[in-house]
Structure formats: C-alpha cells, structure tokens
Amino acid sequence: MIYAKKSLGQNFLTDRNILEKIVNVTAIKNKIIFEVGPGTGNLTSFILKNKPKKVFVIEKDNDLAEKLNINFGNQLIVINDDILNINENLLFDDKVTVFGNLPYNISTEILSKWIINLKDNFWFDHLILMFQKEVAERIISTFNKSTYGRLSILANWKLNVKKICDIKPKSFSPRPKIDSSLLFFTPKKNFFKLKNPKNLEKVTRIFFSQRRKMLKKPFNQLFNGDKKIIDKLKIDLNLRPQNLDFDTYYKLTDEYEKLRS
C-alpha cells in the first residue's frame, strides 16, 4: 500500500472525469510526453491510452518510482529524481508536452525555474499544469488587481496562459484543504528580449517587496531617480507596483540592464 507523503506535498488525483479532461486539453497521439509527479500513475494511464510516441515521467519518491517501473514496464521512462535538479534543455532532443499535478509546496519554484532557464528555442510546446487555486490566480492575474505580482509578470513574459478549470478537493486522495486550478501554457512567438531573466526577477522583487507603498522608493533604489527613464516610460511614481502593466516591467528591466552594461 502506497501512502501520500505530506513532506512531498503529495495529493493523488483520482477523479476519472478530471483525468479525462486533462488529457483532452491538447493532442497526445505521437507526441513526446513529460509528466511531472506522476504519483501512483493515474494520469499516466490516461496519457498512455492516447498513444503518445514516448513518455518520460519524473518522480522524486523512491517507492512510487519503483511502483511505476513495475506497473508500466517499458511503456515509459521513469526518472527517479527531483524536478528542481533537472536541466530540461539537456534532457530532450525534441519538443515535449508537459503534464503535471505539481506538489503545492514547490509549484511556483518549478514554474519560475522553467521560465528563468528558457532558451529562445523552447524545450516544450505546451504545459498543462495544476496549481493551488490561489497560486493559479496569481499566475493569470493582470495589472491593477490585488493578485497581480512577480509571478504574474514572470509567467506572462514568454508564455500565454489560459485557465482550463477549477478542481475540488474531493477529486484527490488524500483531499487537500483547498481548491486547485488547471492551467494551459503555450510559448509566445514574440516576447520582450532581455539579456538575463534573473534581472527581471530582481527588478520585480525590489518593486513588490513593499507592494502597498508608492513606486518612488524602489525606483530610486534601482535607478537613482533617473528622470529620463521616468519620462521615457511615462511612469507615475505615486502609483503602486500593481498599477504597472507587464510591458512596463519588461522595459524597466531592459533599462536596468543598460545601466549595468
């Protein structure tokens, strides 16, 4: 008997209707699939029914990884490792479609890592990922909303994001205490070019470290009150961080990179 481990944030999806909905989000047939956190293999079974070309799964839990190998044999390639240790750019030769019921405790870390490490030639064509509903709301949020912040800006930089559905706790075993949401990500053909994605992380971290305060202090910290940048980007320093749209943050990061070059 396999029991969910709280330390790994495990909640196994068992609702057949939801599992079917997930595999129908995008075409699977003859595609290379990468599943993150397959757990007991409930979603894996549905993926395999749709006749993919090849399936990779990554499972940190040693017991579950062993059980997946036993249950599915040569139908898939099991990677027994932590997703945060993997360099996906080196793992795959062709683009993959990613499915993941991500552990709640590291879901934002996984997404941020993928975006920060993205090359211009994306290693995936689609991401179909499940998050805690509250986190999903932050990812899909737009400016002028209380949910808007660093995660919104980072996620929407190189990716189009669409919410598929919300999922109730009763669809899982054990039942989490909160609702979940399924999100669908696709790469953007055109996105704002930055030299180093970590600069976007830094700029947004400084601006949102005091999200209720006006923009003046973080702007001065990064740009020493440079009026040329204020005029160029038409920024009102009396606004708050959530009042600036995506593009303004990408342009601010570009200006920050110019100062440092």
Side-chain angles (χ1 to χ4, degrees):
M1 176 70 77
I2 296 285
Y3 294 99
K5 293 174 183 170
K6 201 171 182 180
S7 62
L8 296 179
Q10 291 174 344
N11 296 94
F12 304 131
L13 186 61
T14 56
D15 187 324
R16 293 182 65 84
N17 291 328
I18 297 296
L19 290 164
E20 194 141 341
K21 181 173 260 191
I22 292 170
V23 296
N24 287 328
V25 169
T26 188
I28 289 176
K29 190 174 181 180
N30 294 327
K31 301 275 282 293
I32 300 171
I33 306 299
F34 182 44
E35 186 187 358
V36 180
T40 50
N42 298 340
L43 180 61
T44 317
S45 297
F46 277 78
I47 289 170
L48 289 167
K49 284 177 190 172
N50 283 268
K51 300 182 179 173
K53 182 179 179 182
K54 190 182 286 187
V55 178
F56 294 83
V57 300
I58 181 160
E59 178 55 63
K60 182 179 180 179
D61 187 308
N62 296 335
D63 296 332
L64 288 173
E66 186 180 347
K67 196 167 179 63
L68 289 163
N69 271 314
I70 292 167
N71 290 348
F72 293 101
N74 60 6
Q75 293 181 84
L76 46 84
I77 298 157
V78 178
I79 303 165
N80 184 196
D81 205 341
D82 187 332
I83 183 65
L84 296 173
N85 294 336
I86 298 295
N87 184 342
E88 292 80 6
N89 292 294
L90 302 177
L91 188 61
F92 304 111
D93 295 326
D94 298 307
K95 277 187 170 53
V96 300
T97 300
V98 183
F99 289 87
N101 173 16
L102 303 181
Y104 290 144
N105 53 353
I106 57 167
S107 62
T108 57
E109 199 176 346
I110 293 169
L111 183 62
S112 297
K113 171 213 167 193
W114 284 348
I115 295 167
I116 292 299
N117 291 338
L118 275 182
K119 312 295 182 191
D120 286 351
N121 53 331
F122 291 77
W123 57 270
F124 57 84
D125 55 10
H126 303 296
L127 304 174
I128 302 96
L129 305 175
M130 199 182 306
F131 297 88
Q132 184 178 335
K133 186 179 179 181
E134 182 189 330
V135 172
E137 294 301 328
R138 286 163 48 206
I139 292 170
I140 62 176
S141 186
T142 52
F143 74 109
N144 287 335
K145 292 185 178 180
S146 61
T147 47
Y148 181 69
R150 297 178 62 207
L151 195 57
S152 326
I153 295 159
L154 191 63
N156 286 272
W157 173 36
K158 290 188 175 183
L159 302 170
N160 294 306
V161 193
K162 177 184 171 187
K163 183 174 175 178
I164 302 297
C165 64
D166 292 327
I167 302 165
K168 294 293 181 185
K170 66 181 181 181
S171 296
F172 299 86
S173 178
R175 293 187 179 193
K177 293 176 181 175
I178 38 80
D179 287 3
S180 303
S181 296
L182 185 69
L183 300 183
F184 182 47
F185 301 79
T186 53
K188 287 182 176 177
K189 287 188 172 67
N190 299 304
F191 51 85
F192 199 102
K193 297 293 191 287
L194 296 171
K195 290 176 186 170
N196 187 345
K198 289 185 177 175
N199 288 323
L200 179 59
E201 262 198 327
K202 180 175 181 179
V203 167
T204 53
R205 184 179 71 248
I206 289 171
F207 271 96
F208 282 92
S209 62
Q210 299 183 60
R211 60 181 300 132
R212 298 184 194 284
K213 305 280 187 179
M214 290 188 291
L215 294 168
K216 188 173 183 179
K217 186 177 177 182
F219 183 86
N220 288 343
Q221 186 179 337
L222 285 166
F223 301 105
N224 200 24
D226 191 330
K227 196 168 184 307
K228 289 178 186 172
I229 296 172
I230 297 170
D231 293 340
K232 182 178 179 182
L233 302 186
K234 297 180 173 60
I235 295 172
D236 179 354
L237 295 184
N238 294 312
L239 296 175
R240 287 169 173 75
Q242 70 192 48
N243 302 128
L244 299 184
D245 62 15
F246 295 131
D247 278 348
T248 303
Y249 279 107
Y250 307 144
K251 288 172 183 174
L252 278 166
T253 305
D254 182 49
E255 294 297 332
Y256 177 73
E257 290 186 333
K258 286 175 187 172
L259 284 176
R260 291 171 60 85
S261 61

